[in-house]
Amino acid sequence: LQMKKTIHIALGTAVSAALLLASTPALAAPRSLPAGEGLYAFGCDDGTEPAVGLVDVATGAVTEVVPGIVGQCFSGPAYNPVDGKIYVIDWTVGSDLAVFDLVAKTLTVIDAFDCDPYALAIDASGNAWVSDNDDGGDTLRPVNLETAQCGTSVGVLSGEDDFFGMAFSPNGTLYGANHETGDFGTISTSTGAFGPLRSAMAADDNVGLTFDSSGIAWIIDVDNNSEIFSADITDYAGTAERSGQLTFNGVDFFSEAIVVGPVTTPVLPDTGADAGAMGGIFASALALAAAGIALVVIRRRSAA
């Protein structure tokens, strides 16, 4: 009798376990990037962190891309789909515009800005914009990528110096991230007006924003020491997924700047231009989808 009880209990337990497994949905795989795209992180540290790294979005691990450049601080990288290069704000010795050549794997300073940018965004046509803090609050200005000269302000983004994220989504809409409030919203390139969405992170968390070609936003959470999250920007709370904390060789990698760009050699569309002179862009399908990607990040430097 005791043996029968034991058998019945064991059988019942096995059946219950099988039913539980059958009724439990499979765990979703970590969110990944579209084929041919990678997440680049630019360092911001006085130590030995590399200037540019490629992020494993499944773990947060960073692989060095440009060897030999360390101890620098960058902000607001933006991919330019017209010439296939990443432009970034270099805060190492001031506020300079620099360019990262994805083919040559070189990082070169272009010139000093004549404004005080926190954010950089580039649209599908190669037009660039910055969030400028020169006027005691963030204003939206066009910027020349060849000279780093800022144009006339089109309007005020925020009355405070807290507007630390801008990026164009694949459909051509410019989005922004307000670090002080945690809000995400749309930005008008005609007036600079910021229209908050019903989508936000905790205040003082978001310091970066970039989009992949599928429209998913990738964000740095600086409050948790450079953690990477991805989400539908219109519903952050309902769709956010954590990729992990940025690390390099097993040590925390501090970054305030990430951007999605191609991991394969960019291919320039046939426009009649010299491909060697102009560089490249995503393979054509990605180029059409990737309207322009930008990230802007909070400045990590001492107050004047």
Side-chain angles (χ1 to χ4, degrees), residues 47 71 80 145 177 200 223 228:
N80 186 350
L145 293 176
D223 188 57
I228 302 297

Side-chain angles (χ1 to χ4, degrees), residues 90-104:
D90 184 347
W91 278 338
T92 306
V93 293
S95 290
D96 296 325
L97 177 63
V99 60
F100 171 49
D101 189 317
L102 288 159
V103 178

Side-chain angles (χ1 to χ4, degrees), residues 45-174:
D45 194 273
D46 296 331
T48 59
E49 290 183 355
V52 188
L54 194 60
V55 180
D56 180 344
V57 296
T59 65
V62 175
T63 301
E64 187 176 42
V65 174
V66 181
I69 304 177
V70 298
Q72 294 185 235
C73 186
F74 298 93
S75 171
Y79 177 71
N80 186 350
V82 173
D83 65 11
K85 298 176 181 178
I86 292 174
Y87 292 80
V88 63
I89 300 167
D90 184 347
W91 278 338
T92 306
V93 293
S95 290
D96 296 325
L97 177 63
V99 60
F100 171 49
D101 189 317
L102 288 159
V103 178
K105 300 294 188 290
T106 56
L107 187 63
T108 307
V109 171
I110 295 173
D111 210 336
F113 286 101
D114 65 347
C115 61
D116 190 19
Y118 277 19
L120 175 64
I122 303 174
D123 68 16
S125 299
N127 301 306
W129 305 85
V130 292
S131 169
D132 174 32
N133 188 242
D134 265 351
D135 298 328
D138 289 342
T139 62
L140 186 68
R141 295 181 186 272
V143 64
N144 188 315
L145 293 176
E146 294 181 352
T147 65
Q149 300 301 295
C150 302
T152 302
S153 171
V154 301
V156 176
L157 294 169
S158 169
E160 305 293 336
D161 59 346
D162 55 12
F163 209 89
F164 302 131
M166 287 199 312
F168 282 95
S169 70
N171 68 9
T173 301
L174 180 59

Side-chain angles (χ1 to χ4, degrees), residues 195-244:
L197 302 168
R198 291 181 176 274
S199 176
M201 295 177 71
D204 300 325
D205 276 9
N206 60 28
V207 296
L209 177 62
T210 184
F211 288 92
D212 64 33
S213 63
S214 74
I216 290 295
W218 297 79
I219 304 146
I220 290 182
D221 182 349
V222 76
D223 188 57
N224 291 317
N225 196 22
S226 301
E227 284 186 319
I228 302 297
F229 287 84
S230 60
D232 175 347
I233 198 169
T234 63
D235 181 19
Y236 181 83
T239 63
E241 292 185 15
R242 180 182 181 275
S243 289

